[in-house]
Amino acid sequence: MTGCERDRIRAICESYPRLCANLHEDGWCRFERSNLIRARYQQQEAPSDANRYVLMTELETYHDCLDPLLDIEYTDRQERKNDKVEAIVLVREELAALEQQTRASDSPYLQLWHWRHHGDRQARSRFIAQADSPAMQQPELLKALAELLAPRDKKAAEQALHRALGLYQARQDIDTAIIANLINLQIGERRYEDAWIWTRVLAQLTEQRGVDWERMDSYVRFSPEQQRQMQQQADNLVTRLKNGSYIQR
């Protein structure tokens, strides 16, 4: 597979040299470089906000991989360091140009990008306004929406988290940070029974053995019978999440 991937990247570079221009040439950050070339190619072949977002994330990842290497002293070939410096400068320029192009985008991913990277409040407002749009129905986006809503509307934030969980299909890996955020909201509202149940769900999905059960006990203690009933609820939630049939009740 690695050889096939090298062949694909080589074919792209031979057909479209500009997509591979101004990138470093040694073995450092090899996967990041390949992913960037592939993202450039995809945007060239099918220009869209979705592909621009992928390209922006790959530019950032490539930059962040190379940047620490500039502190390394290259005793045998100074040009190895120089081509990384040039690559970083040009990648920053390419990313800045894409950010300028996408400032008014309707894509929630790009709106979230501009809020997180530049504190763009207009992008944040447009992102929140899309709460019920089809484009927002992605677990990652709904988790981000919940984080923005939580300070002023905890009920809406919790609904967003439940919607996020309901989007997972059978056997998909679930982002357990969604559940952790849900638990924090429940504890903040002193809904300790719900928090107890979802803490058990979290423990089962992550197979954690180091969950701090004493933290829950410090809020409220439940009788053995209550715990048995709540554990049944937690088991039912885990089953529904794993088979892709979770719907908030």
Side-chain angles (χ1 to χ4, degrees):
M1 289 298 291
T2 302
C4 292
E5 180 60 23
R6 282 199 299 268
D7 290 343
R8 281 194 291 266
I9 295 300
R10 186 180 300 113
I12 291 175
C13 292
E14 289 174 353
S15 300
Y16 307 98
R18 66 181 184 82
L19 299 182
C20 307
N22 303 318
L23 301 179
H24 77 291
E25 296 182 356
D26 63 24
W28 291 99
C29 303
R30 180 184 307 158
F31 295 112
E32 290 78 6
R33 180 177 57 201
S34 295
N35 289 340
L36 174 54
I37 292 169
R38 194 181 305 107
R40 284 175 169 176
Y41 175 74
Q42 188 63 31
Q43 172 60 13
Q44 172 185 276
E45 296 300 295
S48 67
D49 276 348
N51 286 334
R52 286 187 189 91
Y53 175 76
V54 172
L55 177 53
M56 289 163 66
T57 59
E58 295 301 346
L59 284 165
E60 182 179 51
T61 301
Y62 176 75
H63 171 279
D64 291 348
C65 184
L66 281 188
D67 195 43
L69 301 178
L70 299 187
D71 293 331
I72 297 176
E73 292 295 335
Y74 295 89
T75 58
D76 54 343
R77 288 186 60 194
Q78 180 62 26
E79 60 267 26
R80 290 183 180 177
K81 184 170 183 177
N82 291 340
D83 76 345
K84 291 181 179 62
V85 172
E86 181 179 5
I88 284 179
V89 170
L90 294 173
V91 159
R92 286 174 180 167
E93 292 176 354
E94 184 177 353
L95 181 55
L98 284 166
E99 287 181 328
Q100 184 62 32
Q101 293 172 20
T102 58
R103 285 183 63 186
S105 172
D106 291 329
S107 163
Y109 280 103
L110 288 169
Q111 290 166 349
L112 191 60
W113 174 285
H114 285 284
W115 163 247
R116 286 177 168 172
H117 287 75
H118 302 291
D120 186 333
R121 291 189 172 276
Q122 289 186 351
R124 177 183 183 274
S125 297
R126 295 199 309 274
F127 178 81
I128 293 174
Q130 292 206 68
D132 297 319
S133 72
M136 188 69 82
Q137 306 313 303
Q138 299 290 333
E140 177 186 355
L141 294 176
L142 290 171
K143 181 178 73 169
L145 176 66
E147 292 169 357
L148 293 177
L149 292 175
R152 62 184 180 88
D153 192 341
K154 289 180 171 53
K155 181 177 180 181
E158 182 170 349
Q159 289 174 343
L161 294 173
H162 284 295
R163 282 161 51 200
L165 292 173
L167 291 171
Y168 285 101
Q169 302 299 311
R171 293 179 293 280
Q172 269 191 303
D173 290 334
I174 294 173
D175 180 358
T176 53
I178 295 172
I179 298 175
N181 290 350
L182 181 61
I183 294 168
N184 287 332
L185 281 175
Q186 292 164 342
I187 290 176
E189 295 188 318
R190 299 184 178 182
R191 291 164 46 203
Y192 301 128
E193 181 175 338
D194 289 335
W196 193 102
I197 292 169
W198 280 100
T199 299
R200 267 58 182 182
V201 172
L202 179 62
Q204 289 190 54
L205 291 178
T206 57
E207 298 183 355
Q208 292 182 14
R209 296 294 177 265
V211 175
D212 186 4
W213 303 118
E214 292 183 2
R215 182 189 178 205
M216 289 302 305
D217 289 340
S218 69
Y219 294 116
V220 64
R221 292 183 181 276
F222 298 103
S223 69
E225 178 58 23
Q226 288 175 313
Q227 291 187 41
R228 185 188 65 79
Q229 293 176 359
M230 290 188 295
Q231 185 62 58
Q232 288 179 345
Q233 294 180 57
D235 294 341
N236 179 262
L237 286 170
V238 170
T239 298
R240 287 158 54 199
L241 287 166
K242 286 184 174 180
N243 65 24
S245 63
Y246 177 75
I247 299 176
Q248 182 186 8
R249 293 176 178 173

